Amino acid sequence: GAVIENSTFVENRGNGIWFDIGNEDCEVRNCFIAFNDDAGIFYEISFGLHAHDNVIISNGLAGTAGAWGAAAGISLSSSPGCLIERNILFGNKEGFNFREQPRSTSRIDSRKGEPVWNHDHIIRNNILAYNRDAQTWGWFDISDNRHWPAEAGGADPNALSIEKLSLRFEDNLYCPGPGQDLLNWGVTWKKHKKYTELSQVRRELGIDQDSEVTDFTVKDSHGLDFRVPADSPAVKMDCYPRGRVPGVQLGTYEP
């Protein structure tokens, strides 16, 4: 039940905010998280993060060894039941990602370890723009291939597959820059695929609905003026953060 709000996390030699081992129902809201070596928010083997209305820029660019899947604006590492909404994820190594490997953790009220993995997430109404390597990446280093669709007629009916994980991406605004990927799925050392169109993602993975790839323009990102034109798709799609974020100018302007 920890709440972090209206705070600034910048230029750390690691993650901006790191929750690790058995945290439950934490909230990060209206924060400025920027220029950290690794992830902006790293939520690891924990439960129920609600991250909303944050401005998260230029994280994960240090190239830290072993930071695969932990160098995004927001990274959910084997942590179920999270709600991620109305964040600006701009200019990071990756905008949003999953990191998955076989993990277990105890709960707050029990010392007994239990398996924990990414499932039952909602990622909605976020702005994922100009993130260097991908706007979204699923780093699943897991041998059971749960992040891929079940094989028709051949799979164990009790086995996990992407259809059972309930990874819901809804109403997000994607704006990859030149040479930047939209969505990458799988770790680079195992089966993986790059998706260049949302129609492919919906057809093959079935995890997105009503998101759009469209333009995202701000007044002056270098000056931390993240005001958008009054007719911006981000406003129309309800992707723009609500409330104040320290150190960043938010709102709309007339072009």
Side-chain angles (χ1 to χ4, degrees):
V3 176
I4 298 174
E5 62 180 349
N6 301 120
S7 300
T8 299
F9 301 84
V10 298
E11 298 181 0
N12 291 287
R13 289 297 181 90
N15 303 301
I17 307 172
W18 186 1
F19 296 88
D20 191 13
I21 307 177
N23 299 279
E24 297 181 17
D25 302 325
C26 298
E27 185 174 2
V28 180
R29 64 190 183 210
N30 299 103
C31 290
F32 179 53
I33 306 167
F35 314 117
N36 301 292
D37 279 7
D38 301 322
I41 301 174
F42 189 43
Y43 205 67
E44 185 173 15
I45 53 174
S46 295
F47 304 84
L49 173 67
H50 186 195
H52 62 98
D53 302 298
N54 301 290
V55 176
I56 304 176
I57 67 172
S58 299
N59 297 284
L61 299 172
T64 303
W68 61 269
I74 298 176
S75 177
L76 301 182
S77 178
S78 302
S79 296
C82 299
L83 173 59
I84 311 298
E85 58 182 346
R86 293 189 309 277
N87 301 285
I88 295 178
L89 301 163
F90 184 99
N92 305 284
K93 179 180 181 292
E94 298 152 27
F96 170 85
N97 69 25
F98 296 117
R99 175 178 168 130
E100 193 72 271
Q101 52 193 322
R103 306 297 298 273
S104 64
T105 188
S106 58
R107 301 293 292 249
I108 289 172
D109 57 356
S110 171
R111 293 187 178 183
K112 183 180 179 180
E114 62 179 72
V116 62
W117 68 94
N118 283 305
H119 59 87
D120 293 290
H121 293 310
I122 300 174
I123 299 93
R124 68 186 181 196
N125 300 98
N126 298 284
I127 298 163
L128 300 102
Y130 303 110
N131 297 289
R132 191 191 73 186
D133 292 357
Q135 310 317 300
T136 296
W137 197 318
W139 290 90
F140 289 83
D141 188 12
I142 200 84
S143 60
D144 63 8
N145 287 320
R146 67 185 60 174
H147 53 299
W148 298 107
E151 297 180 11
D156 178 352
N158 297 315
L160 286 174
S161 64
I162 197 169
E163 295 91 344
K164 297 179 181 179
L165 295 183
S166 188
L167 308 177
R168 295 167 51 191
F169 289 77
E170 303 172 352
D171 299 292
N172 296 295
L173 186 160
Y174 296 97
C175 182
Q180 297 174 346
D181 292 340
L182 176 62
L183 183 144
N184 294 344
W185 208 246
V187 294
T188 55
W189 53 91
K190 293 181 179 178
K191 178 184 176 182
H192 65 278
K193 185 168 183 177
K194 295 184 177 182
Y195 292 89
T196 59
E197 297 180 0
L198 286 174
S199 58
Q200 290 179 290
V201 176
R202 292 165 185 153
R203 183 172 63 251
E204 297 186 20
L205 300 179
I207 60 174
D208 178 83
Q209 62 181 18
D210 299 322
S211 298
E212 294 184 18
V213 177
T214 188
D215 184 53
F216 179 66
T217 301
V218 300
K219 188 75 171 178
D220 177 16
S221 62
H222 295 290
L224 301 183
D225 186 345
F226 275 79
R227 288 178 297 166
V228 297
D231 61 352
S232 170
V235 175
K236 295 178 180 179
M237 295 174 64
D238 194 25
C239 294
Y240 200 70
R242 300 174 186 172
R244 183 184 67 86
V245 171
V248 182
Q249 192 167 0
L250 295 176
T252 61
Y253 69 94
E254 293 296 333

